[in-house]
Amino acid sequence: MAFDIDMIKAVYSRMAERVNKAREVVGKPLTLSEKILYNHLWDGITTKSFVRGKDYVDFAPDRIACQDATAQMALLQFMQAGKNKVAVPTTVHCDHLIQAKEGAAVDLKHANSVSSEVFNFLESVSNKYGIGFWKPGAGIIHQVVLENYAFPGGMMIGTDSHTVNAGGLGMVAIGVGGADAVDVMAGMAWELKFPKLIGVKLTGKLSGWTAPKDVILKVAEILTVKGGTGAIVEYFGPGATAMSCTGKGTICNMGAEIGATTSTFGYDDSMERYLRATDRSDVADAANEVKSYLTADPEVYANPEHYFDQVIEINLSELSPLLNGPFTPDLSTPVGSEMTEKANTNDWPIKVEWGLIGSCTNSSYEDLSRASSIAQQALDKGLKTKAEFGINPGSEQVRYTAERDGILEVFEKLDAKIFTNACGPCIGQWARYSDPKNAPKNSIVHSFNRNFAKRADGNPNTHAFVASPEITAAIAIAGRLDFNPLTDALINENGEEVFLDEPTGWELPPKGFEVKDNGYLEPVEDGSGVQVIVADNSERLQLLTPFVPIGDTIGGAKLLIKAFGKCTTDHISMAGPWLRFRGHLDNISNNTLIGAVNAFNKKTNFVKNQLTGEYGGVPDVQREYKKAGIKTIVVGDHNYGEGSSREHAAMQPRHLGVAAVIVKSFARIHETNLKKQGMLGLTFANENDYDLIQEDDTFNFLDLNEFAPEKQLTLEIVHSNGSKDVIKLNHSYNDAQIAWYKEGSALNLIKKQNAQ
């Protein structure tokens, strides 16, 4: 029996009327993405055809999912919204605060000890406001959502960029900042610029060593880390329908790495099989009644170039296993000779020290079973793993079933560490080194989604490569980055040459899924008597104080930092050990922009304090400016804020007194997060004006009092020698978002409206 089956049936019951009307208004057949979007309009049945990439549209998502690191700030904000209960089904999943070190049992016990205050807060606040709570160890949010909550044709938002994983079950599932989630929890509309559409036609069929992971690794190569920005990627074709549901989830999951709003697939037999295998036959039966509405109209897939803004075609029969990296998920290389050549040319370490399988991207039963088939061959053929091996199951249901079926035992016989059902190394929660900053240069291979510098283990010298679970297992056994399992032999313990055969596995467990305790806690019906306690002296949690509006006059502002090159949310607000402060805004603000490279000296966390002329850490210098009542700006390059959805990357600069972030271009979620927190997120009208910014500059906004949609702002740059430059800045604020700015934040406006 599915969670929220009545809600799901309600979504389906209105679908025909709304989609039929949308088709009439748009005047042509509809993609799946358009059907879902038009069925979830806040105003109901549409009366207009929205312009992709231009029109801001209000939507009514069906549900919300939050992970523990982001849920803290989201729920601290919701507590200020003046509501007694969440307006839509919402869940919290404790998966980010569990550090991988010794193994599942020890690591989980340690997490429950050191983070008990946070877990207790999340459990109590969930209970109070009608939120479903998944305990530490229950699993990784996106795998748990796929197993329990995702449904074809639905719309979900989640406070994690990889919420998009649910597209594997035909949803439009979108990663957002916590403030966006608070809007929907409070019963308000959720705003999104109507996305552009990218169609990816998959022909042929995956076979041999090639896996669904290789599809998205190839798409990342084609589109790069920002090529999907502002777009939904919709996959279709015979290669798509031949793929498993969890394989589809893997592809959608890593859509976050190309900047896509989300990715999705049309409802098909593999999704129905997965729904029934995960005890949701009622959802499958309901979906089958509206099946034609849960995929694109036939004309769309027959002539995709007429209906998508961009079309990509990939022949799966010709696709080879890939390794993407290091330091960026879009640098793609086929295994074998090409990798050998690149590694030697770029001085990448050939020896591989770790192979890691799991994360929200590749932790399904199918993933583990296929990887274990490679591990079993190592046992059968007398091979020892040359690299260390780590496994993160996606959920307690997956873990329990895999253990029952002997899959985990195979890994354990190769001395693999079975970590907790949690994110672990994927998000920097990995106690690999006692001193990560001074750790040696090395290579690792993993089936995760991101591989930015320091992402997994805090070591800037770790070269992380992304691959399928099967390839990860093979390379861990070989211990070499240049190993090609399709052609290369290995030498076993007897000195014999042996080859690895193609991986095998099960789409779904032959004996069905099984679990004793899935880790779920249902909230009480009436939470009015539940107490949520935050200690005044807590280092982990801090009640929020509303932001004060920045105002319509900004003069004499100083430059905090001009960031050079890639500046992700990991650079702006690091994860790893800093995750422990995600519920305490002032404490976590001590990591603000410490990973960003200063364009003037190419150092991190070392910027000039214009008040003293001395150099110091970014947060320290910014606190001096705040103390002096001086506003500051941050300047950045392209795709500023790519990566995680973490709103802390916007809240921390706001808390410390940064007034504006001016860049060449933004990642979608981060730009929205800045707007939600009442800041200015602006782009250079002329990208070359980035070069005008000097270290001692002072800034004056000349016409901020005329802030209006589609109207450029004028910035005066005063250099230390007295010379000036006047430049134009673009923005994408609409009237509602300008109202957030004027009130100090979107939350301030919500609270004001609820009080009326």
Side-chain angles (χ1 to χ4, degrees):
M1 179 73 175
F3 288 94
D4 310 309
I5 185 62
D6 292 338
M7 176 269 284
I8 295 171
K9 288 181 177 179
V11 172
Y12 290 161
S13 68
R14 69 182 191 228
M15 200 160 195
E17 181 183 16
R18 292 191 179 189
V19 171
N20 290 344
K21 183 63 177 177
R23 192 185 292 113
E24 176 187 322
V25 170
V26 173
K28 60 181 181 180
L30 298 178
T31 64
L32 166 66
S33 304
E34 289 171 310
K35 290 181 180 181
I36 297 174
L37 293 171
Y38 278 107
N39 190 37
H40 286 84
L41 296 179
W42 179 258
D43 293 329
I45 297 174
T46 191
T47 57
K48 66 171 290 188
S49 174
F50 295 107
V51 180
R52 299 175 191 169
K54 181 177 180 181
D55 288 342
Y56 281 93
V57 182
D58 286 340
F59 291 100
D62 301 313
R63 68 176 312 111
I64 298 167
C66 308
Q67 40 94 335
D68 49 352
T70 53
Q72 295 170 66
M73 196 57 69
L75 294 177
L76 284 164
Q77 291 178 86
F78 181 74
M79 290 170 66
Q80 303 291 316
K83 293 290 185 178
N84 296 324
K85 196 169 188 176
V86 291
V88 302
T90 303
T91 52
V92 167
H93 305 257
C94 295
D95 62 356
H96 273 56
L97 299 179
I98 304 168
Q99 188 178 53
K101 185 178 182 181
E102 303 295 337
V106 174
D107 295 344
L108 181 57
K109 183 178 179 181
H110 179 71
N112 277 319
S113 173
V114 300
S115 295
S116 59
E117 179 185 11
V118 173
F119 294 146
N120 290 339
F121 165 75
L122 292 174
E123 183 178 337
S124 62
V125 76
S126 297
N127 204 21
K128 183 173 183 66
Y129 293 109
I131 298 168
F133 181 74
W134 291 81
K135 297 184 295 185
I140 305 172
I141 175 173
H142 310 304
Q143 180 65 30
V144 173
V145 165
L146 197 71
E147 292 176 9
N148 294 277
Y149 299 112
F151 66 97
M155 174 181 273
M156 177 176 71
I157 61 173
T159 60
D160 188 283
S161 55
H162 293 102
T163 298
V164 295
N165 187 81
L169 252 176
M171 291 194 90
V172 162
I174 301 174
V176 299
D180 275 1
V182 170
D183 284 357
V184 179
M185 289 180 195
M188 301 179 70
W190 173 62
E191 183 187 66
L192 177 72
K193 186 181 286 186
F194 204 82
K196 294 183 177 181
L197 299 175
I198 298 174
V200 179
K201 183 178 182 180
L202 302 179
T203 61
K205 189 175 182 179
L206 294 171
S207 62
W209 284 92
T210 310
K213 185 62 161 266
D214 297 304
V215 177
I216 186 57
L217 296 181
K218 185 65 177 179
V219 171
E221 175 192 359
I222 295 168
L223 290 176
T224 76
V225 291
K226 61 181 181 179
T229 302
I232 293 178
V233 182
E234 185 171 322
Y235 293 84
F236 62 95
T241 55
M243 199 179 296
S244 71
C245 177
T246 52
K248 293 178 173 72
T250 291
I251 292 171
C252 292
N253 182 293
M254 273 195 68
E257 274 53 73
I258 57 172
T261 301
T262 191
S263 305
T264 194
F265 287 76
Y267 178 58
D268 61 19
D269 292 346
S270 71
M271 294 185 192
E272 180 178 354
R273 289 194 298 271
Y274 188 75
L275 286 169
R276 296 192 188 282
T278 51
D279 197 27
R280 289 176 288 171
S281 290
D282 46 356
V283 178
D285 293 340
N288 287 340
E289 292 180 8
V290 291
K291 196 167 187 177
S292 65
Y293 292 94
L294 300 177
T295 190
D297 290 331
E299 300 92 332
V300 172
Y301 293 161
N303 297 285
E305 62 278 359
H306 296 159
Y307 303 98
F308 292 98
D309 298 290
Q310 180 180 356
V311 178
I312 297 167
E313 184 169 337
I314 299 174
N315 185 341
L316 302 185
S317 300
E318 298 174 356
L319 188 64
S320 62
L322 299 170
L323 283 163
N324 280 29
F327 307 128
T328 184
D330 59 354
L331 179 57
S332 187
T333 308
V335 298
S337 58
E338 288 189 46
M339 174 53 73
T340 305
E341 182 179 346
K342 271 191 186 179
N344 290 332
T345 300
N346 294 286
D347 194 28
W348 299 338
I350 292 293
K351 180 185 177 184
V352 172
E353 296 193 0
W354 270 90
L356 296 153
I357 293 171
S359 87
C360 62
T361 323
N362 280 108
S363 56
S364 68
Y365 184 90
E366 180 181 37
D367 291 324
L368 296 184
S369 70
R370 285 178 62 84
S372 74
S373 76
I374 305 303
Q376 184 62 56
Q377 288 185 55
L379 295 172
D380 295 341
K381 298 182 180 186
L383 296 168
K384 294 281 189 182
T385 53
K386 298 292 180 61
E388 294 190 74
F389 217 165
I391 312 292
N392 280 84
S395 69
E396 176 58 16
Q397 178 168 267
V398 166
R399 188 211 65 79
Y400 188 93
T401 306
E403 182 179 57
R404 178 202 67 190
D405 295 347
I407 289 174
L408 297 187
E409 183 183 7
V410 173
F411 291 121
E412 289 171 331
K413 286 180 178 178
L414 283 179
D415 295 326
K417 281 189 178 178
I418 310 298
F419 293 125
T420 314
N421 313 319
C423 302
C426 181
I427 59 161
Q429 284 285 54
W430 187 20
R432 184 183 180 192
Y433 298 110
S434 58
D435 183 13
K437 292 181 180 179
N438 295 305
K441 184 175 179 179
N442 73 104
S443 288
I444 65 173
V445 176
H446 60 57
S447 69
F448 306 161
N449 38 49
R450 294 199 172 126
N451 58 348
F452 304 135
K454 300 190 279 188
R455 169 80 180 186
D457 58 12
N459 177 6
N461 299 309
T462 292
H463 294 54
F465 296 85
V466 184
S468 69
E470 300 93 312
I471 291 295
T472 300
I475 290 179
I477 292 165
R480 292 183 61 84
L481 192 62
D482 57 359
F483 177 65
N484 183 355
L486 286 75
T487 59
D488 297 347
L490 295 170
I491 306 299
N492 69 10
E493 291 180 296
N494 298 322
E496 302 164 335
E497 274 196 357
V498 296
F499 290 86
L500 294 175
D501 301 320
E502 294 176 353
T504 59
W506 294 273
E507 175 185 352
L508 296 163
K511 294 187 287 185
F513 284 109
E514 187 177 352
V515 65
K516 283 189 175 180
D517 177 9
N518 64 4
Y520 176 71
L521 296 178
E522 182 81 20
V524 295
E525 186 64 31
D526 180 5
S528 59
V530 177
Q531 295 295 311
V532 179
I533 299 173
V534 176
D536 292 338
N537 62 347
S538 173
E539 292 186 347
R540 302 289 300 273
L541 298 165
Q542 180 188 47
L543 294 176
L544 295 176
T545 301
F547 289 134
V548 175
I550 291 171
D552 61 3
T553 57
I554 299 177
K558 301 297 185 183
L559 177 70
L560 174 59
I561 186 171
K562 179 180 177 179
F564 174 78
K566 188 184 285 284
C567 191
T568 72
T569 49
D570 278 322
H571 295 91
I572 305 167
S573 174
M574 290 184 177
W578 289 96
L579 283 171
R580 66 190 305 268
F581 297 122
R582 282 285 180 87
H584 197 295
L585 183 56
D586 194 57
N587 282 348
I588 198 170
S589 292
N590 289 323
N591 81 359
T592 304
L593 286 157
I594 64 175
V597 176
N598 183 351
F600 300 108
N601 56 28
K602 301 302 186 291
K603 295 181 179 180
T604 58
N605 202 28
F606 198 68
V607 296
K608 187 173 184 179
N609 182 338
Q610 291 191 47
L611 301 179
T612 65
E614 298 177 352
Y615 284 80
V618 180
D620 302 320
V621 170
Q622 179 56 36
R623 287 186 187 274
E624 290 295 315
Y625 288 137
K626 182 178 182 179
K627 186 177 179 181
I630 297 172
K631 294 183 173 69
T632 59
I633 71 165
V634 169
V635 172
D637 210 315
H638 276 299
N639 210 27
Y640 182 89
E642 74 171 274
S644 168
S645 69
R646 69 191 67 153
E647 65 184 329
H648 298 75
M651 293 186 78
Q652 292 170 216
R654 176 75 163 101
H655 171 69
L656 293 177
V658 175
V661 179
I662 305 172
V663 300
K664 293 180 182 178
S665 65
F666 283 107
R668 174 189 64 85
I669 298 176
H670 186 65
E671 182 180 23
T672 300
N673 286 345
L674 291 171
K675 293 177 179 179
K676 287 280 184 177
Q677 302 306 331
M679 294 179 70
L680 292 173
L682 310 169
T683 55
F684 293 105
N686 178 357
E687 288 183 7
N688 293 331
D689 287 344
Y690 170 92
D691 299 324
L692 296 175
I693 308 299
Q694 298 174 24
E695 193 170 31
D696 295 308
D697 286 347
T698 298
F699 305 88
N700 302 308
F701 283 82
L702 302 183
D703 50 8
L704 188 55
N705 60 322
E706 300 172 9
F707 193 15
E710 299 185 13
K711 183 180 186 299
Q712 290 181 322
L713 292 175
T714 308
L715 181 70
E716 180 183 64
I717 309 169
V718 183
H719 304 300
S720 58
N721 63 2
S723 65
K724 299 178 181 179
D725 285 297
V726 177
I727 66 172
K728 292 293 185 179
L729 302 173
N730 294 333
H731 68 83
S732 60
Y733 288 74
N734 58 27
D735 286 323
Q737 294 166 344
I738 291 173
W740 300 342
Y741 176 78
K742 290 181 176 179
E743 288 293 334
S745 71
L747 182 60
N748 286 355
L749 187 59
I750 292 174
K751 192 172 183 179
K752 183 178 180 180
Q753 292 169 340
N754 285 334
Q756 293 173 351

